[in-house]
């Protein structure tokens, strides 16, 4: 894809021992088995993303059968996301350097071994360690799957392929609680992890047979200082974001890792500017195209991740749904994303409107859906359903357009690094969305509580402290108001992201349109 970014205008890489896969054998659309390869990588992506949310419904079982404390359960859930987010940049760089197929296979093996260990764990500590191991494999899989898609598809089909990849991501995230609920209805909690094993075995065979090897031909020496700095910095920041809502944003346990992460990431940027063979080319951030795309990534995931987190609370605390029912109520969002992309509607719209307008219009539509859910969420499900469909339609267009913009601003031989940036910012945006919008909810809720309730920070605690039906009604309304404000802040973030990303990308491509 053409770009005005000088770092992406380098000549095609000289021939290396391992050729790039896209367009080989004279195929104008890319690799001849590209659609089968897409199915394989999407299957791997499915189980990786599913495991971000599948464990939520198993909390009662884990507490009783493993004797897990509240802190143990939090780490069972967070260890996976923490390790995964901390390693995404490194995993992408490793895929470019050592081979995307090789790292895809390594990711499957690590993820499968971690899943087996998690399914057979007999203690809380064992399960936490297994989840961390799964996170290592997940980081490799998330980056290599998108990097492989970039290699085997050419520009004309890439938006549709990335759209399918993104739709599977959304479907898996929303389906986690549903799948977990179904499995727990028939088997013990360990089966949630063991169902990954057949998928991993199938993936290993299919990747070995179908996926061509590709790597950056002249990667240079490994950037070991960059690896160390990026892992420490990202892990510290993500840890602070994850633990902030529970421990309090001003607690030493949050401020210390946040400060450490900021200092180390600043050192990482400084090192990457001087390194002879950096794992991440900092000159990319001088490109308005790249900057616009990554702004869109952060703000769309901030708004959508945070708003979906608030919605699950709305369904369970306000509407009194079970976790499984809440997951089913959220399903129309993911199903709309899938429909928009699997029918090719998103790819056709992106081709017609171009990336800047597609991102802007998609994020504006998503913001409208978020605002609608916020304003009518206390009523019948019909209004919520309409909002979820709007959110899904907007996300189904904006997400693949943003991913294409990020990946298109990076030379194809550095597709793994691009996938690492995309994944890292998505994780960071989602984590910040949950943290910030959750904080907005708590602040608004606390401000509206009756004085007699005291300083209760959760709805159940406040309802228990309320005296009489009238005060309980005031508590419920305070919580609903907090949800509305939080969701509207999320809608505003998505709207802002659409405007900024569309403006920056529009300016970046305008000179090319004038033939400059």
């Amino acid at each position: 894809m053409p770009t005005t970014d000088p770092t992406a205008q380098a000549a095609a890489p000289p021939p290396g021992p391992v050729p790039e896969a896209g367009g080989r054998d004279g195929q104008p659309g890319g690799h001849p088995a590209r659609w089968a390869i897409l199915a394989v990588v999407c299957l791997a992506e499915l189980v990786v993303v599913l495991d971000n949310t599948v464990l939520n419904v198993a909390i009662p079982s884990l507490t009783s059968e493993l004797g897990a404390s509240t802190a143990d359960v939090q780490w069972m859930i967070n260890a996976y996301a923490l390790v995964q987010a901390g390693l995404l940049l490194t995993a992408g760089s490793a895929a470019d350097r050592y081979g995307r197929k090789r790292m895809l296979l390594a990711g499957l093996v690590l993820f499968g071994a971690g899943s087996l260990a998690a399914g057979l764990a007999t203690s809380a500590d064992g399960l936490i360690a297994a989840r961390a191991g799964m996170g290592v494999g997940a980081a490799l899989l998330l980056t290599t799957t998108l990097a492989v898609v970039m290699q085997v598809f050419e520009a004309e089909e890439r938006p549709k392929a990335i759209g399918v990849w993104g739709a599977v991501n959304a479907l898996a995230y929303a389906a986690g609680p549903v799948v977990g609920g179904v499995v727990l209805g028939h088997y013990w909690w360990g089966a949630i992890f063991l169902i990954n094993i057949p998928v991993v075995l199938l993936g290993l065979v299919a990747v070995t047979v179908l996926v061509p090897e590709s790597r950056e031909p002249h990667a240079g020496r490994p950037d070991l200082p960059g690896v160390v700095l990026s892992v420490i910095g990202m892990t510290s920041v993500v840890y602070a974001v994850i633990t902030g809502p529970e421990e309090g944003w001003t607690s030493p346990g949050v401020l210390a890792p946040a400060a450490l992460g900021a200092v180390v990431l600043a050192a990482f940027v400084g090192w990457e500017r001087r390194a002879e063979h950096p794992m991440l080319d900092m000159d990319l951030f001088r490109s308005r195209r790249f900057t616009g795309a990554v702004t869109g990534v952060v703000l769309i995931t901030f708004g959508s991740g945070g708003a979906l987190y608030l919605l699950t609370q709305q369904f369970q605390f306000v509407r009194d749904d079970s976790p499984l029912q809440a997951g089913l109520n959220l399903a129309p969002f993911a199903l709309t994303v899938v429909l928009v992309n699997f029918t090719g509607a998103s790819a056709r719209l992106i081709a017609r409107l171009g990336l800047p307008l597609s991102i802007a219009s998609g994020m504006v539509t998503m913001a409208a859906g978020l605002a609608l859910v916020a304003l009518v969420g206390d009523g019948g499900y019909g209004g919520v359903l309409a909002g979820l469909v709007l959110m899904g339609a907007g996300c189904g267009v904006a997400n693949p357009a943003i991913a294409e913009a990020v990946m298109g601003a990076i030379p194809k031989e550095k597709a793994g690094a691009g996938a690492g940036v995309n994944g890292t910012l998505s994780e960071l945006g989602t984590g910040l969305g949950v943290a910030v919008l959750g904080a907005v909810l708590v602040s608004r809720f606390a401000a509206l509580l009756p004085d007699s309730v005291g300083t209760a920070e959760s709805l159940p605690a406040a309802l228990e402290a309320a005296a009489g039906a009238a005060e309980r009604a005031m508590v419920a309304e305070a919580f609903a108001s907090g949800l509305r404000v939080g969701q509207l802040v999320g809608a505003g973030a998505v709207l802002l992201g659409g405007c900024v990303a569309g403006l920056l990308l529009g300016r970046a491509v305008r000179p090319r349109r004038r033939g400059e």
Side-chain angles (χ1 to χ4, degrees):
M1 171 171 287
T3 176
T4 58
D5 178 36
T7 61
Q9 301 232 359
V18 182
E20 295 292 339
R24 69 183 227 173
D25 300 327
Q27 296 290 329
H31 192 278
R34 58 193 178 278
W35 294 107
I37 293 171
L38 178 64
V40 172
V41 299
C42 283
L43 187 64
E45 178 200 14
L46 181 70
V47 292
V48 167
V49 180
L50 200 71
D51 269 271
N52 279 299
T53 56
V54 72
L55 199 59
N56 293 346
V57 295
I59 290 174
S61 300
L62 295 170
T63 302
S64 61
E65 295 184 31
L66 292 181
S69 65
T70 300
D72 289 335
V73 171
Q74 289 173 345
W75 275 111
M76 290 172 190
I77 295 172
N78 293 337
Y80 181 70
L82 180 64
V83 173
Q84 181 186 146
L87 290 177
L88 282 168
L89 281 177
T90 299
S93 177
D96 289 335
R97 182 178 302 276
Y98 300 113
R100 298 168 188 114
K101 177 177 181 176
R102 182 179 298 175
M103 291 298 102
L104 181 54
L105 290 170
L108 285 167
V109 170
L110 289 171
F111 187 79
S115 297
L116 180 61
L120 300 179
T122 57
S123 68
D125 290 340
L127 181 54
I128 292 169
R131 289 279 287 173
M134 290 174 66
V136 177
L140 284 168
L141 291 176
L142 280 180
T143 50
T144 52
T145 51
L146 183 55
V148 166
V149 170
M150 293 297 296
Q151 300 304 313
V152 300
F153 283 91
E154 291 301 307
E156 65 272 12
E157 288 182 327
R158 199 175 294 146
K160 183 176 182 180
I162 291 178
V164 171
W165 184 89
V168 170
N169 191 300
L171 177 63
Y173 189 85
V178 179
V179 172
V182 171
V183 172
L184 285 175
H186 297 85
Y187 305 101
W188 94 112
W189 63 265
I192 289 176
F193 302 107
L194 295 183
I195 59 175
N196 295 335
I197 304 301
V199 177
V200 167
L201 294 176
L202 175 62
L204 287 170
V205 174
V207 169
T208 301
V209 173
L210 291 174
V211 177
E213 184 60 285
S214 63
R215 66 171 66 96
E216 186 179 355
H218 298 284
R221 294 190 305 274
D223 180 16
L224 295 181
V227 169
V228 173
L229 291 171
S230 71
V231 171
I232 294 175
M234 283 306 307
T235 302
S236 300
V237 169
V238 174
Y239 175 84
V241 169
I242 288 175
T243 58
E246 295 293 333
E247 296 190 15
W249 293 104
T250 58
S251 67
V254 173
L255 290 177
L260 174 65
V263 170
V264 173
L265 287 178
F268 170 73
V269 172
W271 169 259
E272 294 300 284
R273 290 188 180 279
R274 300 192 309 271
E276 185 179 356
H277 301 287
M279 63 180 292
L280 180 61
D281 186 355
M282 288 296 143
D283 286 340
L284 286 169
F285 291 91
R286 299 169 61 184
S287 161
R288 283 183 293 195
R289 175 188 181 131
F290 185 77
T291 304
V294 298
T295 299
V297 170
V298 172
L299 289 178
I300 195 172
T301 53
F302 176 94
S304 58
L308 289 174
Y309 165 73
L310 296 183
L311 264 176
T312 59
Q313 296 201 50
Q314 185 172 23
F315 286 134
Q316 293 181 67
F317 290 128
V318 177
R319 294 176 174 271
D320 201 27
D321 289 342
S322 67
L324 178 58
Q325 288 173 320
L328 291 172
N329 282 335
L330 283 171
F333 166 74
L335 292 176
T336 303
V337 175
V338 171
L339 183 65
V340 167
N341 283 285
F342 273 71
T343 60
S346 175
R348 290 192 295 272
L349 193 62
I350 292 171
R352 181 175 302 175
L353 298 179
L355 289 178
L357 192 55
S358 296
I359 292 172
S361 60
M363 293 180 74
V364 167
T365 302
M366 188 174 182
L370 287 168
L372 180 60
V373 168
L375 296 174
V376 305
D378 295 343
Y381 182 69
V384 175
L385 176 62
L388 289 172
V389 170
L390 276 176
M391 288 168 57
C395 184
V397 173
N399 257 353
I402 289 173
E404 170 71 11
V406 171
M407 301 301 288
I410 292 178
K412 193 175 179 181
E413 64 270 19
K414 294 185 179 291
V421 171
N422 187 71
T424 299
L425 293 177
S426 295
E427 291 285 340
L428 190 59
T430 300
L432 286 172
V434 171
V436 173
L437 299 192
V440 171
L441 162 63
V442 171
S443 176
R444 177 70 173 172
F445 176 52
L448 296 178
L449 282 176
D451 293 337
S452 59
V453 173
T455 59
E457 294 184 356
S458 68
L459 179 61
L463 288 173
E464 185 177 348
E471 280 201 357
R472 283 193 290 272
M474 292 175 65
V475 168
E477 174 55 32
F479 190 79
S481 177
L483 285 171
R484 282 194 297 271
V485 173
Q487 288 164 342
L488 288 173
V489 170
V494 174
L495 181 62
L496 174 65
C499 295
V500 172
L503 179 64
L504 290 174
L505 284 167
R507 287 180 175 177
V509 302
R510 196 170 297 131
R512 175 167 53 85
R513 289 178 176 174
R514 292 201 300 263
E516 295 182 6

